[in-house]
C-alpha cells in the first residue's frame, strides 16, 4: 500500500484555507463566530496560514452541551476561527485519502452514502431471500469515547508518511478523549478507525451482505449458526485490534419473524416501514409546530419506504 507524502503544504496554502473558510460558513452566516471572523477575514486567514506553516496551531478550548435525541450524549463545539476552518482545510485534502480506504458497505457522513443509500442497499439485498433469512445486528459500546488514540495514529501512519501532517492530526486527536462528537473531523476519523475491520469482514470473512452505518452493523446470512460464529470472531477482532466492545444487546434472529431495525427503518423481505419513534416524532411535529421545513424532512424519510397510508393518515389528522 502506497503511503502518501507532501500533503501538508496543500493544507496550509492560502487557496485551500480560503476555500475551507467558504465551505465552513455555508449556512452559518448568522453565527456569532462567523460574523466576528468576517470582520477581519484576511488577517485571520494570514494568522492561520502562519500557525500551520510554523506548526504553532493548537486546538482551542471546547465548549460542550448535551443533546437528548436520538439518545443522550455530549456534543463538543470548537470556535469557528481558527478550528472549524482548520478542520475543513484538512478535509479538503484528506477526504479522497479517507474515501479510498472505505468499502462500498460503509455509510454515514460520506457524500452520497447517507441514510437513504444504506436503506436502498438493505432493500436490494433482501431481494435475495434465500441468502438473507437471518440477521446479525450489533453496535459498539460507547464508540466515539472509546476510540484509542494510539491505535488511530498507527492506522493513519499506514496511509500517510507526511510527518508535518501527522503532527497536525496527532494534535487534533489528542485534543479530547476518544473522538469528540461534533467535530467535523471526528466523523471521518470514526469511519477510518473501522475501515480495516470492514475490509476484514468483506475480504477475509467473505461476508456478502454487510452494512455499517457509523457503529451500527447489520449482517445477513442464510444460516444463524454462521452468524453466531461470526459474532464471536467480531468480538475478538474488535477487542484485540481496536480495543472496542460489542454492546450486549446484539441480536441474531430470523428476518421473517421480525423486522431489521436499521437507519430509521424497519426492513422486511416484502416491504419497508418507518421506525416507530420516527413516526411518533413526525406526528408530534405536525400536532405541535407544523412547518414546511420539518414536514419536508419527514416526508423525505417517508418516501423511501412503504408509507402512503401513514402519510395520508397523519396529514389528514393535522390539516
Amino acid at each position: 500500500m502506497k503511503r502518501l507524502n507532501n500533503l501538508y503544504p496543500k493544507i496550509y496554502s492560502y487557496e485551500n484555507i480560503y476555500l475551507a473558510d467558504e465551505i465552513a460558513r455555508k449556512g452559518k452566516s448568522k453565527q456569532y463566530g462567523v460574523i466576528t471572523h468576517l470582520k477581519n477575514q484576511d488577517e485571520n486567514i494570514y494568522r492561520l496560514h502562519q500557525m500551520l506553516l510554523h506548526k504553532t496551531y493548537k486546538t482551542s478550548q471546547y465548549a460542550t452541551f448535551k443533546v437528548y435525541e436520538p439518545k443522550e450524549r455530549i456534543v463538543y463545539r470548537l470556535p469557528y476561527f481558527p478550528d472549524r476552518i482548520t478542520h475543513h482545510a484538512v478535509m479538503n485534502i484528506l477526504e479522497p485519502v479517507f474515501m479510498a480506504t472505505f468499502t462500498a458497505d460503509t455509510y454515514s457522513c460520506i457524500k452520497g452514502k447517507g441514510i437513504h443509500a444504506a436503506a436502498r442497499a438493505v432493500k436490494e439485498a433482501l431481494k435475495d431471500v434465500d441468502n438473507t433469512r437471518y440477521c446479525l445486528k450489533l453496535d459498539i459500546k460507547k464508540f466515539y469515547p472509546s476510540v484509542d488514540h494510539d491505535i488511530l495514529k498507527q492506522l493513519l501512519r499506514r496511509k500517510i508518511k507526511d510527518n508535518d501532517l501527522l503532527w497536525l492530526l496527532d494534535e487534533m486527536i489528542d485534543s479530547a478523549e476518544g473522538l469528540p462528537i461534533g467535530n467535523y473531523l471526528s466523523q471521518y476519523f470514526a469511519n477510518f478507525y473501522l475501515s480495516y475491520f470492514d475490509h476484514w469482514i468483506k475480504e477475509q470473512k467473505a461476508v456478502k451482505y454487510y452494512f455499517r452505518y457509523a457503529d451500527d452493523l447489520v449482517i445477513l446470512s442464510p444460516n444463524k449458526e454462521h452468524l453466531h460464529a461470526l459474532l464471536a470472531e467480531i468480538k475478538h477482532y474488535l477487542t484485540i485490534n481496536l480495543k472496542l466492545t460489542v454492546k450486549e444487546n446484539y441480536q441474531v434472529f430470523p428476518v421473517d419473524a421480525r423486522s431489521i431495525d436499521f437507519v430509521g427503518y424497519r426492513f422486511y423481505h416484502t416491504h419497508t416501514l418507518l421506525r416507530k419513534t420516527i413516526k411518533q416524532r413526525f406526528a408530534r411535529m405536525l400536532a405541535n409546530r407544523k412547518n414546511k421545513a420539518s414536514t419536508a424532512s419527514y416526508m423525505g424519510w417517508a418516501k423511501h419506504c412503504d408509507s402512503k397510508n401513514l402519510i395520508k393518515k397523519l396529514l389528514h389528522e393535522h390539516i
Side-chain angles (χ1 to χ4, degrees):
M1 181 187 295
K2 184 179 179 181
R3 292 166 66 227
L4 300 170
N5 202 0
N6 301 318
L7 296 173
Y8 192 61
K10 297 178 183 178
I11 289 172
Y12 66 68
S13 72
Y14 282 110
E15 180 183 16
N16 185 51
I17 297 175
Y18 271 107
L19 176 61
D21 180 21
E22 180 184 343
I23 294 171
R25 59 184 150 86
K26 279 183 180 176
K28 300 177 176 65
S29 60
K30 295 182 180 180
Q31 289 186 1
Y32 175 78
V34 174
I35 294 170
T36 303
H37 161 69
L38 289 177
K39 291 177 181 177
N40 298 287
Q41 182 184 23
D42 291 336
E43 180 184 340
N44 285 343
I45 297 296
Y46 172 77
R47 287 172 55 203
L48 180 52
H49 169 80
Q50 291 294 309
M51 282 189 267
L52 294 174
L53 173 64
H54 298 293
K55 295 164 66 174
T56 58
Y57 170 82
K58 184 172 177 59
T59 300
S60 302
Q61 178 102 20
Y62 285 97
T64 61
F65 59 96
K66 277 189 179 182
V67 297
Y68 298 92
E69 291 288 348
K71 60 184 178 182
E72 183 177 330
R73 55 187 178 169
I74 297 174
V75 176
Y76 292 71
R77 179 186 288 155
L78 285 169
Y80 180 79
F81 174 82
D83 305 278
R84 277 149 57 192
I85 299 174
T86 303
H87 282 220
H88 280 273
V90 170
M91 284 312 305
N92 285 347
I93 306 304
L94 280 193
E95 185 173 10
V97 176
F98 285 137
M99 290 294 293
T101 69
F102 301 153
T103 71
D105 311 285
T106 306
Y107 299 88
S108 174
C109 307
I110 301 170
K111 291 173 184 175
K113 300 293 292 293
I115 285 169
H116 301 311
R120 286 194 298 271
V122 173
K123 286 192 282 187
E124 185 63 29
L126 288 171
K127 292 178 182 178
D128 183 3
V129 176
D130 288 342
N131 290 309
T132 59
R133 294 195 179 280
Y134 291 91
C135 175
L136 165 60
K137 187 174 184 300
L138 62 90
D139 60 352
I140 295 167
K141 185 177 181 180
K142 296 182 179 178
F143 173 49
Y144 273 71
S146 298
V147 168
D148 183 277
H149 289 187
D150 289 337
I151 293 174
L152 176 56
K153 291 175 186 178
Q154 289 168 14
L155 294 175
L156 286 166
R157 281 157 174 78
R158 290 190 189 182
K159 290 293 295 180
I160 299 166
K161 66 176 180 179
D162 183 328
N163 287 328
D164 291 329
L165 174 54
L166 289 168
W167 162 80
L168 179 60
L169 297 179
D170 288 354
E171 200 287 329
M172 291 173 164
I173 290 166
D174 289 335
S175 66
E177 292 186 9
L179 291 179
I181 296 170
N183 266 9
Y184 180 54
L185 264 174
S186 289
Q187 57 200 24
Y188 286 92
F189 282 150
N191 267 334
F192 180 73
Y193 195 73
L194 290 172
S195 62
Y196 292 95
F197 167 75
D198 294 338
H199 284 280
W200 174 78
I201 285 280
K202 294 296 293 184
E203 294 154 19
Q204 294 191 38
K205 304 315 299 177
V207 173
K208 184 176 183 180
Y209 295 125
Y210 166 69
F211 311 93
R212 179 174 66 77
Y213 191 90
D215 64 328
D216 202 1
L217 282 65
V218 164
I219 298 174
L220 303 174
S221 171
N223 186 299
K224 68 178 178 181
E225 288 75 19
H226 167 249
L227 292 178
H228 280 291
L230 184 60
L231 173 61
E233 292 187 83
I234 288 171
K235 286 181 175 181
H236 183 264
Y237 182 102
L238 292 175
T239 300
I240 299 301
N241 294 287
L242 298 175
K243 295 186 180 178
L244 297 174
T245 304
V246 172
K247 273 188 186 176
E248 289 302 317
N249 63 350
Y250 60 83
Q251 306 161 40
V252 175
F253 57 90
V255 173
D256 284 341
R258 54 195 284 197
S259 61
I260 303 168
D261 188 342
F262 183 58
V263 295
Y265 296 98
R266 289 162 48 216
F267 297 93
Y268 300 83
H269 278 117
T270 54
H271 60 287
T272 305
L273 301 176
L274 272 180
R275 179 183 287 158
K276 183 178 179 181
T277 54
I278 293 176
K279 287 193 293 185
Q280 291 170 337
R281 290 203 296 269
F282 191 4
R284 283 198 298 269
M285 183 277 299
L286 289 172
N288 299 328
R289 59 180 192 282
K290 183 167 64 174
N291 64 72
K292 289 182 179 179
S294 295
T295 301
S297 175
Y298 281 108
M299 291 292 284
W301 277 85
K303 75 178 184 180
H304 289 274
C305 64
D306 302 290
S307 59
K308 287 182 181 178
N309 291 333
L310 169 68
I311 293 170
K312 189 182 297 185
K313 179 183 176 183
L314 289 176
L315 295 181
H316 174 74
E317 288 177 353
H318 300 288
I319 286 176

